[in-house]
Amino acid sequence: MTNIVNTKRINQITTFLKSLNIKSNRFSEIIRTQDISVMQDFNQAFIHSSEDKIINYEKLEFFGDAVLRLAASNFIEKKYPQMSVGERSELRAQIVSDEWLTKLGEKIDIEKLIIKGPKALGDENSKNTIIGEATEALIGAVYKCFNSIQEVNLWLDDIWEKDSEIFLKAPYKFKSKTVLQEWCQSKGFDLPIYKIIEFSKKNGDPKRFSCDIHIEGLKESSAFGKSHKQAETNAARVLIEKLIAAGKI
């Protein structure tokens, strides 16, 4: 079993938890006392299934998904009480997305805590996914300390406040494909066609894929990305910015 935490691992985990800067006396006390059952929960949040098929972060990740959505809803209720339900759903989708989780995981440098098996260690394609999943499992573990979202909100609210402001100032940058589709529909056009060309076989290459967007038979924009999805999103963003500059949106 992987979930055996020795003194070195406990110290590594507590140092990491301190770096999250969660301003809670009871959370600080848990870190100070290094409660073994709590340390085991946090350790499990960092174990990938390639290392241990039984004791890994999958259950905490599943739990963390629900906790994250509840904590985000709580943040939006406090910060933006006048928002409509539709606007709340749209904002929440951005601040609990897989991409957001991966960025948070990178920011807190969670990768240094993650334990992977040999197969996952050599898989660059899964790196970002694992970072996001472990971050969600960590959120589940923080909740489990007291069966309360209080510490989750104390940790994430300041981050969400900054990220929400960025999103609300220019939402099209985060949902460019949806905005473009809605614009086409409003003009009576067919839906945009995304044409992908692979230029490189190198994982992580920011110019691995090129995407051209065609509307009504005409090429309107193009952009690169390290994945199909990223190339399409980037091309849509380029076109939306072009339409805004031309006063068409």
Side-chain angles (χ1 to χ4, degrees):
M1 296 294 181
T2 311
N3 208 17
I4 299 173
V5 281
N6 56 29
T7 301
K8 181 179 178 180
R9 180 65 172 173
I10 288 173
N11 289 336
Q12 184 185 25
I13 292 170
T14 53
T15 298
F16 173 77
L17 294 176
K18 286 178 184 177
S19 73
L20 299 180
N21 197 29
I22 298 175
K23 294 179 173 62
S24 161
N25 290 334
R26 62 180 184 174
F27 189 75
S28 297
E29 183 65 12
I30 274 186
I31 295 173
R32 187 188 68 78
T33 58
Q34 297 184 335
D35 181 278
I36 189 63
S37 64
V38 174
M39 291 299 111
Q40 285 177 333
D41 277 343
F42 279 112
N43 189 53
Q44 187 169 341
F46 305 127
I47 300 172
H48 187 252
S49 58
S50 62
E51 171 65 17
D52 194 313
K53 295 293 184 185
I54 299 173
I55 298 176
N56 55 60
Y57 63 54
E58 290 180 352
K59 289 181 180 178
L60 279 170
E61 179 201 356
F62 176 79
F63 192 61
D65 176 65
V67 171
L68 181 64
R69 291 171 64 84
L70 178 59
S73 298
N74 188 46
F75 161 75
I76 293 169
E77 172 65 23
K78 291 184 294 183
K79 180 67 179 177
Y80 304 105
Q82 303 306 317
M83 266 191 178
S84 69
V85 172
E87 290 170 331
R88 292 180 187 211
S89 295
E90 193 171 84
L91 175 57
R92 187 179 65 182
Q94 295 300 321
I95 62 174
V96 303
S97 68
D98 291 344
E99 183 180 359
W100 182 87
L101 280 164
T102 298
K103 287 181 179 178
L104 175 61
E106 290 172 342
K107 180 179 179 180
I108 63 178
D109 198 15
I110 198 173
E111 190 176 17
K112 65 186 178 185
L113 273 294
I114 298 173
I115 301 172
K116 305 178 189 177
K119 186 176 180 180
L121 280 171
D123 185 2
E124 282 296 313
N125 287 332
S126 67
K127 178 181 175 181
N128 286 346
T129 299
I130 292 172
I131 288 173
E133 290 172 348
T135 303
E136 198 160 47
L138 172 63
I139 290 167
V142 170
Y143 175 90
K144 279 191 69 178
C145 287
F146 308 105
N147 291 321
S148 167
I149 63 168
Q150 178 178 318
E151 277 66 30
V152 177
N153 280 115
L154 286 171
W155 171 25
L156 299 180
D157 278 4
D158 287 345
I159 299 170
W160 277 332
E161 184 164 355
K162 293 175 184 176
D163 291 348
S164 296
E165 288 175 1
I166 292 170
F167 170 73
L168 293 171
K169 283 179 181 177
Y172 71 88
K173 290 184 177 180
F174 301 88
K175 53 171 189 169
S176 51
K177 290 181 68 176
T178 301
V179 172
L180 183 58
Q181 178 177 312
E182 291 173 350
W183 180 80
C184 286
Q185 290 172 330
S186 72
K187 298 296 182 181
F189 298 155
D190 290 336
L191 295 180
I193 296 173
Y194 296 82
K195 295 185 177 180
I196 295 286
I197 300 174
E198 186 175 12
F199 283 97
S200 165
K201 297 293 184 181
K202 185 179 179 182
N203 291 329
D205 184 349
K207 292 188 176 182
R208 181 175 180 180
F209 296 97
S210 171
C211 176
D212 295 336
I213 297 181
H214 294 255
I215 296 177
E216 297 294 288
L218 298 176
K219 177 181 171 181
E220 298 290 352
S221 74
S222 62
F224 289 100
K226 60 184 178 182
S227 66
H228 281 216
K229 181 179 179 181
Q230 188 180 80
E232 289 178 353
T233 300
N234 289 344
R237 185 180 299 122
V238 168
L239 181 49
I240 291 296
E241 290 174 346
K242 177 181 171 183
L243 292 170
I244 290 173
K248 295 182 179 180
I249 291 184

